[in-house]
Amino acid sequence: DGGITQSPKYLFRKEGQNVTLSCEQNLNHDAMYWYRQDPGQGLRLIYYSQIVNDFQKGDIAEGYSVSREKKESFPLTVTSAQKNPTAFYLCATRTFLGNQPQHFGDGTRLSIL
Amino acid sequence: RKEVEQDPGPFNVPEGATVAFNCTYSNSASQSFFWYRQDCRKEPKLLMSVYSSGNEDGRFTAQLNRASQYISLLIRDSKLSDSATYLCVVTQNTGNQFYFGTGTSLTVIP
């Protein structure tokens, strides 16, 4: 979606390495989310944040960390504790005005070297 | 029990056909409902919201049945470009958490 930028598009991680995925938005949306999608499977929620300096764990937060220091930015760090990080990572945003849907960035594909 | 369940398909239909997908949800307090489309190796994109009275957008019609806890998507006059995976999405409580189905795969055949 326009206004949500994820980078990089492709990322390779070495064993024992932490990597950070970027998600930036200029939509002035309140909430930001990180999902993981494995081949042939649905989206699983990792973390979400409704306001700056606050975030909540989703269903599969172990091995991941996030921060929300600015409204526009919600980076996701995949730590070495995440033993199976290979997946498609999607960032989404949403405004709280009305029952609005989420909008997605174009994703980051993470693989293990 | 999963929050949202969809028939994964695949649905293979000829061009011009009408096809319908259903999606069931488990929480009767669910608030908002959406259909997304996801192309292979791409992000999900919003197709349409689903309103209580049902709604239509061109060849696409969405329905909500709260009594039976399902939503449906009807695609008329299928085009080759409709080939994709269709995800149904449900929100609960304050609407801050979104629950995604695993998707229904559609291939429209020439």
Side-chain angles (χ1 to χ4, degrees):
Chain A
D1 280 26
I4 304 170
T5 302
Q6 286 190 244
S7 63
K9 198 172 181 67
Y10 300 95
L11 186 59
F12 297 93
R13 195 192 88 169
K14 295 180 183 178
E15 290 285 341
Q17 186 182 40
N18 292 351
V19 292
T20 297
L21 284 59
S22 170
C23 180
E24 303 280 331
Q25 56 113 350
N26 62 7
L27 301 171
N28 199 34
H29 282 178
D30 307 285
M32 298 186 74
Y33 306 77
W34 275 106
Y35 292 93
R36 168 182 173 140
Q37 188 175 36
D38 293 278
Q41 297 193 31
L43 277 67
R44 291 186 291 168
L45 182 65
I46 304 173
Y47 270 98
Y48 67 103
S49 168
Q50 299 178 55
I51 56 173
V52 173
N53 293 323
D54 188 47
F55 47 82
Q56 286 76 42
K57 292 183 179 180
D59 301 317
I60 55 164
E62 186 174 349
Y64 300 96
S65 66
V66 292
S67 62
R68 186 91 185 271
E69 296 177 1
K70 299 184 300 182
K71 188 175 185 179
E72 301 80 18
S73 178
F74 191 40
L76 173 74
T77 296
V78 184
T79 75
S80 57
Q82 172 50 246
K83 298 305 180 189
N84 184 23
T86 297
F88 187 36
Y89 289 86
L90 289 157
C91 174
T93 72
R94 175 178 171 263
T95 178
F96 286 156
L97 297 174
N99 291 326
Q100 293 297 311
Q102 290 179 338
H103 298 273
F104 286 86
D106 57 7
T108 293
R109 292 198 177 275
L110 176 61
S111 302
I112 296 181
L113 278 178
Chain B
R1 183 181 173 186
K2 289 184 180 179
E3 300 286 348
V4 180
E5 298 207 55
Q6 290 183 256
D7 179 351
F11 285 67
N12 298 315
V13 302
E15 267 187 293
T18 296
V19 61
F21 311 133
N22 279 346
C23 168
T24 58
Y25 59 95
S26 60
N27 190 328
S28 60
S30 296
Q31 287 192 322
S32 302
F33 308 87
F34 307 97
W35 283 102
Y36 282 73
R37 169 197 170 122
Q38 186 173 25
D39 293 291
C40 187
R41 300 179 68 81
K42 298 285 190 179
E43 75 277 19
K45 296 196 175 190
L46 179 69
L47 180 65
M48 59 198 302
S49 302
V50 186
Y51 302 120
S52 297
S53 55
N55 47 298
E56 190 173 300
D57 183 0
R59 296 181 295 109
F60 299 86
T61 300
Q63 297 277 356
L64 167 63
N65 186 318
R66 283 196 181 271
S68 300
Q69 293 182 206
Y70 75 85
I71 63 172
S72 63
L73 178 68
L74 181 78
I75 305 175
R76 290 182 298 279
D77 188 22
S78 298
K79 311 290 185 192
L80 296 177
S81 57
D82 294 334
S83 298
T85 297
Y86 291 83
L87 308 175
C88 76
V89 181
V90 173
T91 71
Q92 294 177 5
N93 300 323
T94 60
N96 289 328
Q97 281 220 20
F98 284 58
Y99 295 91
F100 287 77
T102 53
T104 298
S105 175
L106 171 67
T107 301
V108 180
I109 304 164

